[in-house]
PDB file of all heavy atoms in Angstrom:
ATOM      1  N   GLN A 119     138.435 207.027 -46.772  1.00 97.00           N
ATOM      2  CA  GLN A 119     139.069 206.674 -45.499  1.00 97.00           C
ATOM      3  C   GLN A 119     138.160 207.108 -44.353  1.00 97.00           C
ATOM      4  O   GLN A 119     138.229 208.246 -43.879  1.00 97.00           O
ATOM      5  CB  GLN A 119     140.452 207.339 -45.380  1.00 97.00           C
ATOM      6  CG  GLN A 119     141.485 206.785 -46.345  1.00 97.00           C
ATOM      7  CD  GLN A 119     141.534 207.504 -47.687  1.00 97.00           C
ATOM      8  OE1 GLN A 119     140.712 208.386 -47.956  1.00 97.00           O
ATOM      9  NE2 GLN A 119     142.482 207.147 -48.532  1.00 97.00           N
ATOM     10  N   GLU A 120     137.283 206.190 -43.943  1.00 98.00           N
ATOM     11  CA  GLU A 120     136.342 206.461 -42.853  1.00 98.00           C
ATOM     12  C   GLU A 120     136.967 206.077 -41.523  1.00 98.00           C
ATOM     13  O   GLU A 120     137.613 205.038 -41.395  1.00 98.00           O
ATOM     14  CB  GLU A 120     135.062 205.656 -43.056  1.00 98.00           C
ATOM     15  CG  GLU A 120     134.031 205.903 -41.961  1.00 98.00           C
ATOM     16  CD  GLU A 120     132.905 204.883 -41.959  1.00 98.00           C
ATOM     17  OE1 GLU A 120     132.943 203.938 -42.769  1.00 98.00           O
ATOM     18  OE2 GLU A 120     131.981 205.031 -41.121  1.00 98.00           O
ATOM     19  N   LYS A 121     136.771 206.900 -40.521  1.00 97.00           N
ATOM     20  CA  LYS A 121     137.273 206.600 -39.174  1.00 97.00           C
ATOM     21  C   LYS A 121     136.752 205.240 -38.743  1.00 97.00           C
ATOM     22  O   LYS A 121     135.580 204.933 -38.896  1.00 97.00           O
ATOM     23  CB  LYS A 121     136.813 207.673 -38.196  1.00 97.00           C
ATOM     24  CG  LYS A 121     137.759 207.899 -37.036  1.00 97.00           C
ATOM     25  CD  LYS A 121     137.445 209.212 -36.347  1.00 97.00           C
ATOM     26  CE  LYS A 121     138.552 209.614 -35.385  1.00 97.00           C
ATOM     27  NZ  LYS A 121     139.844 209.818 -36.034  1.00 97.00           N
ATOM     28  N   GLY A 122     137.650 204.398 -38.234  1.00 97.00           N
ATOM     29  CA  GLY A 122     137.320 203.000 -37.974  1.00 97.00           C
ATOM     30  C   GLY A 122     136.935 202.689 -36.544  1.00 97.00           C
ATOM     31  O   GLY A 122     136.652 203.593 -35.742  1.00 97.00           O
ATOM     32  N   PRO A 123     136.954 201.395 -36.201  1.00 96.00           N
ATOM     33  CA  PRO A 123     136.466 200.954 -34.897  1.00 96.00           C
ATOM     34  C   PRO A 123     137.437 201.226 -33.747  1.00 96.00           C
ATOM     35  O   PRO A 123     137.059 201.147 -32.584  1.00 96.00           O
ATOM     36  CB  PRO A 123     136.284 199.448 -35.095  1.00 96.00           C
ATOM     37  CG  PRO A 123     137.306 199.092 -36.144  1.00 96.00           C
ATOM     38  CD  PRO A 123     137.353 200.276 -37.061  1.00 96.00           C
ATOM     39  N   ASP A 124     138.699 201.550 -34.071  1.00 96.00           N
ATOM     40  CA  ASP A 124     139.680 201.851 -33.035  1.00 96.00           C
ATOM     41  C   ASP A 124     140.735 202.791 -33.615  1.00 96.00           C
ATOM     42  O   ASP A 124     140.738 203.087 -34.812  1.00 96.00           O
ATOM     43  CB  ASP A 124     140.318 200.564 -32.495  1.00 96.00           C
ATOM     44  CG  ASP A 124     140.950 199.723 -33.592  1.00 96.00           C
ATOM     45  OD1 ASP A 124     141.890 200.220 -34.262  1.00 96.00           O
ATOM     46  OD2 ASP A 124     140.506 198.577 -33.811  1.00 96.00           O
ATOM     47  N   ALA A 125     141.650 203.235 -32.755  1.00 94.00           N
ATOM     48  CA  ALA A 125     142.637 204.234 -33.164  1.00 94.00           C
ATOM     49  C   ALA A 125     143.602 203.713 -34.225  1.00 94.00           C
ATOM     50  O   ALA A 125     144.207 204.509 -34.952  1.00 94.00           O
ATOM     51  CB  ALA A 125     143.421 204.717 -31.942  1.00 94.00           C
ATOM     52  N   GLY A 126     143.754 202.398 -34.317  1.00 95.00           N
ATOM     53  CA  GLY A 126     144.712 201.828 -35.242  1.00 95.00           C
ATOM     54  C   GLY A 126     144.143 201.382 -36.575  1.00 95.00           C
ATOM     55  O   GLY A 126     144.893 200.882 -37.430  1.00 95.00           O
ATOM     56  N   HIS A 127     142.828 201.538 -36.771  1.00 97.00           N
ATOM     57  CA  HIS A 127     142.203 201.048 -38.006  1.00 97.00           C
ATOM     58  C   HIS A 127     141.135 202.001 -38.527  1.00 97.00           C
ATOM     59  O   HIS A 127     140.393 202.605 -37.750  1.00 97.00           O
ATOM     60  CB  HIS A 127     141.558 199.670 -37.775  1.00 97.00           C
ATOM     61  CG  HIS A 127     142.550 198.603 -37.463  1.00 97.00           C
ATOM     62  ND1 HIS A 127     143.032 198.379 -36.187  1.00 97.00           N
ATOM     63  CD2 HIS A 127     143.176 197.698 -38.270  1.00 97.00           C
ATOM     64  CE1 HIS A 127     143.902 197.381 -36.211  1.00 97.00           C
ATOM     65  NE2 HIS A 127     144.001 196.958 -37.451  1.00 97.00           N
TER      66      HIS A 127
END
Side-chain angles (χ1 to χ4, degrees):
Q119 291 90 355
E120 181 194 3
K121 210 164 193 61
D124 56 61
H127 295 84

